[in-house]
Amino acid sequence: MNSLDDFANITLRDEPLAPLTWLKVGGPAQRMIQPRSVDELVAVVRTCHENSVTVHVLGGGSNLLVRDEGVSGVVIRLSDPVFSQVSIEGTRLRAGAGAMLSHVISESVKGGLAGLDTLVGIPGTIAGAIKGNAGGRSGEIGEHLHSVTVVTAQGEKFIRQGDELVFEYRRSSINELCVVEAEFELTQDNPDDIAERMRKLWVMKKSTQPLSFQSAGCVFKNPRGLSAGALIEQAGLKGMKIGQCEVSDRHGNFIVTEPGAKSADVLKLIDLMRTKVSEAHGVDLELELQVW
Ligand code: EPU
């Protein structure tokens, strides 16, 4: 049986995770492993599976809260450039899982391809965006996905496409451990027109969201037909502070953190928001943010 020690040269022990997340809080990863190829990724995952070691896969850290005690087992990070290649052929765009969504959007626009531009302003990697069907009122990533290469928790690699890809609001049918690569089907358009549409969307987002602060985007999913941000505002929580964490006074569904913030305080604030919204509106908010 293989051992995790076989990967010592690509392993960091007790590696701080806070700097790799947008909220900048939380403890370290017991082992962070950064594979250099898809084969190496598969070998790491198989070894974890054989040894019953828990695996988490880190994306851009923009929708993630790490607890103060950190994460035991293995955190895989696809930081090697091999996982962030982007290429275009006709109207097909292929992107590695670790490519930042913002980079992929700008490559698509340069290539005169429309579709992903509606996602302007969304942080994170392609893999994270696909798994959670990232999007907003202007569109969602799943609408443009043609196929995706995944690695299962047992270390098997395969491609999913067609009716195996089902997307709903902030959910996808892709429940395997890890996305490795994605292919999008886009439409030809004039790069200047796409850029102009993006500029308008970006201005609108910037005026309603605290984009220049430390945050992880929306904390809760919108309950059907409602806006979590509005419910939180109506419950009187905007500006509410616990430690160095605060409910944004710009958008009620954002928590912003300041240096010195603790993950435990973010969790307390989340609890408070849930409780107050439930008391005021009788609505149970569901977390969008992932908690490790
Ligand atoms: N509103 C308030 N108070 C607030 C926030 C919003 O009254 O504090 C009201 C707004 O005035 C508006 C309505 O609620 O009438 C909806 O607000 P907004 O347009 O900001 O959209 P949202 O539903 O709060 C969603 C996504 C965002 C995405 C935007 C724009 C969710 C949970 N949020 O926000 O996604 O950027 O639409 O497309 O679906 C994210 O998922 O992390 C995220 C930021």
Side-chain angles (χ1 to χ4, degrees):
M1 189 159 76
N2 292 327
S3 144
L4 281 176
D5 294 336
D6 301 344
F7 304 102
N9 56 343
I10 52 165
T11 300
L12 298 164
R13 298 278 194 138
D14 296 319
E15 182 65 9
L17 287 169
L20 302 176
T21 71
W22 280 50
L23 282 166
K24 303 264 175 281
V25 299
Q30 191 180 8
R31 292 180 200 239
M32 178 180 288
I33 303 189
Q34 306 185 99
R36 295 161 298 188
S37 66
V38 176
D39 287 347
E40 201 165 50
L41 165 68
V42 166
V44 169
V45 173
R46 283 198 181 144
T47 305
C48 289
H49 178 63
E50 285 165 14
N51 291 278
S52 306
V53 173
T54 312
V55 185
H56 288 88
V57 183
L58 180 65
S62 53
N63 190 37
L64 175 64
L65 173 67
V66 177
R67 291 176 194 274
D68 292 320
E69 43 285 29
V71 180
S72 59
V74 165
V75 172
I76 293 177
R77 185 171 176 228
L78 303 182
S79 50
D80 193 282
V82 81
F83 293 105
S84 51
Q85 304 297 316
V86 181
S87 63
I88 294 178
E89 232 183 280
T91 51
R92 283 277 161 88
L93 182 147
R94 181 185 294 232
M100 300 310 291
L101 179 58
S102 55
H103 173 63
V104 177
I105 294 172
S106 70
E107 289 301 297
S108 70
V109 177
K110 271 194 252 165
L113 293 178
L116 299 176
D117 48 288
T118 60
L119 308 173
V120 62
I122 300 181
T125 59
I126 282 290
I130 290 173
K131 285 196 112 178
N133 193 17
R137 293 175 185 275
S138 47
E140 294 173 341
I141 196 164
E143 294 162 31
H144 312 285
L145 196 64
H146 173 260
S147 64
V148 61
T149 308
V150 296
V151 170
T152 66
Q154 291 74 37
E156 285 154 6
K157 188 179 87 156
F158 63 99
I159 294 176
R160 293 183 67 172
Q161 59 188 336
D163 56 13
E164 288 179 321
L165 300 177
V166 182
F167 291 95
E168 293 164 30
Y169 170 65
R170 295 298 191 277
R171 278 169 68 108
S172 76
S173 55
I174 302 160
N175 51 12
E176 288 80 16
L177 179 70
C178 183
V179 170
V180 176
E181 192 179 76
E183 225 178 86
F184 298 94
E185 178 63 42
L186 304 172
T187 48
Q188 264 164 349
D189 201 345
N190 180 310
D192 293 339
D193 293 345
I194 309 174
E196 178 55 19
R197 288 201 301 269
M198 274 170 65
R199 197 189 58 78
K200 284 189 182 145
L201 261 180
W202 174 241
V203 168
M204 214 159 69
K205 268 201 181 163
K206 253 176 74 176
S207 67
T208 54
Q209 299 181 2
L211 297 179
S212 55
F213 291 78
Q214 279 178 204
S215 90
C218 286
V219 174
F220 298 102
K221 295 182 183 181
N222 281 339
R224 195 179 287 271
L226 297 169
S227 160
L231 296 177
I232 293 163
E233 175 170 355
Q234 287 154 22
L237 287 161
K238 271 188 164 177
M240 174 67 72
K241 210 168 169 181
I242 297 184
Q244 303 303 306
C245 317
E246 186 176 341
V247 178
S248 166
D249 54 17
R250 181 165 295 191
H251 194 298
N253 201 6
F254 281 65
I255 290 179
V256 298
T257 57
E258 283 168 20
K262 292 271 167 255
S263 189
D265 290 335
V266 178
L267 288 167
K268 279 185 204 153
L269 204 49
I270 287 173
D271 265 357
L272 183 68
M273 291 157 93
R274 257 196 181 135
T275 308
K276 293 279 181 204
V277 167
S278 171
E279 284 169 6
H281 306 286
V283 173
D284 286 329
L285 291 177
E286 187 191 339
L287 267 187
E288 174 175 316
L289 184 67
Q290 280 191 35
V291 182
W292 285 5

